[in-house]
């Protein structure tokens, strides 16, 4: 058997994230597409791609991989497989740039394996950034240093 990509719904992807992601919650807004990593008949990974959360990067040609999540028993390199496929699908849709973020404590080996490069450091947010017409929920990861990666 080998890994194969499959389109999945945002509902399926968010259910997968809810069950298996270490520190993130499901994606609420800004969704563009989701991909699943299938190993035989089993969904072993999911990726959710959306518009960039940082509004200065939201130019219509840039997408952000908002979530990548795999089960513990997924084949080696499943995360790299998903990052690579997300980038290829986005290019086929006419996209020119794809970004994602990792916590600085994470190795980033999956991204390096897919050919991505660190393009910057993101400082932690000290307080929630909700406001009128901008209802966002605060997660503890917002208070941590991150790297911004680009395909």
């Amino acid at each position: 058997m080998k890994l194969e990509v499959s389109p999945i719904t945002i509902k399926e992807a968010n259910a997968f994230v809810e069950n298996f992601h270490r520190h993130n919650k499901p994606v609420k807004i800004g969704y563009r597409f989701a991909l699943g990593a299938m190993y035989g008949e089993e969904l072993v990974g999911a990726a959710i791609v959306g518009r960039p959360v940082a509004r200065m990067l939201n130019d219509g040609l840039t997408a952000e991989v908002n979530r990548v999540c795999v089960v513990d028993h997924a084949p080696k390199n499943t995360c790299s497989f998903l990052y690579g496929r997300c980038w290829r699908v986005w290019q086929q849709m006419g996209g020119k740039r794809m970004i994602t973020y990792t916590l600085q404590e994470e190795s980033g080996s999956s991204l390096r394996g897919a050919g991505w490069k660190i393009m910057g450091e993101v400082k932690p947010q000290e307080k929630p950034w909700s406001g009128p017409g901008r209802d966002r929920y605060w997660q503890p990861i917002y208070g941590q240093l991150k790297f911004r990666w680009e395909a």
Side-chain angles (χ1 to χ4, degrees):
M1 281 191 299
K2 65 177 187 167
L3 283 171
E4 293 189 20
V5 69
S6 176
I8 58 175
T9 66
I10 187 65
K11 187 176 180 179
E12 291 169 313
N14 272 333
F16 195 89
V17 167
E18 184 76 42
N19 287 322
F20 299 109
H21 203 285
R22 290 188 315 259
H23 55 73
N24 268 324
K25 295 181 181 180
V27 173
K28 287 190 172 185
I29 60 172
Y31 157 80
R32 288 194 182 259
F33 65 90
L35 298 177
M38 302 298 293
Y39 191 63
E41 297 294 316
E42 182 184 6
L43 179 66
V44 295
I48 301 173
V49 176
R51 62 175 166 72
V53 174
R55 65 179 177 212
M56 297 300 287
L57 298 173
N58 191 9
D59 59 7
L61 297 174
T62 302
E64 180 176 328
V65 179
N66 301 115
R67 302 287 185 277
V68 167
C69 178
V70 301
V71 294
D72 289 339
H73 62 276
K76 188 176 179 178
N77 301 322
T78 301
C79 286
S80 295
F81 171 82
L82 284 167
Y83 280 117
R85 288 302 175 103
C86 287
W87 175 227
R88 284 168 47 186
V89 167
W90 183 239
Q91 287 176 302
Q92 290 296 307
M93 294 171 69
K96 303 295 182 199
R97 184 178 182 202
M98 183 168 268
I99 61 169
T100 196
Y101 297 87
T102 61
L103 300 175
Q104 286 192 5
E105 66 192 36
E106 296 173 314
S107 74
S109 59
S110 296
L111 288 155
R112 280 193 302 281
W116 293 49
K117 303 225 181 302
I118 293 175
M119 300 305 286
E121 183 177 272
V122 180
K123 303 283 187 231
Q125 299 287 324
E126 294 183 16
K127 58 184 178 179
W129 28 284
S130 289
R134 246 184 173 177
D135 186 25
R136 298 202 176 110
Y137 55 93
W138 177 257
Q139 295 185 62
I141 61 159
Y142 296 156
Q144 297 182 35
L145 287 168
K146 295 175 201 66
F147 286 122
R148 184 176 71 233
W149 295 77
E150 191 167 325

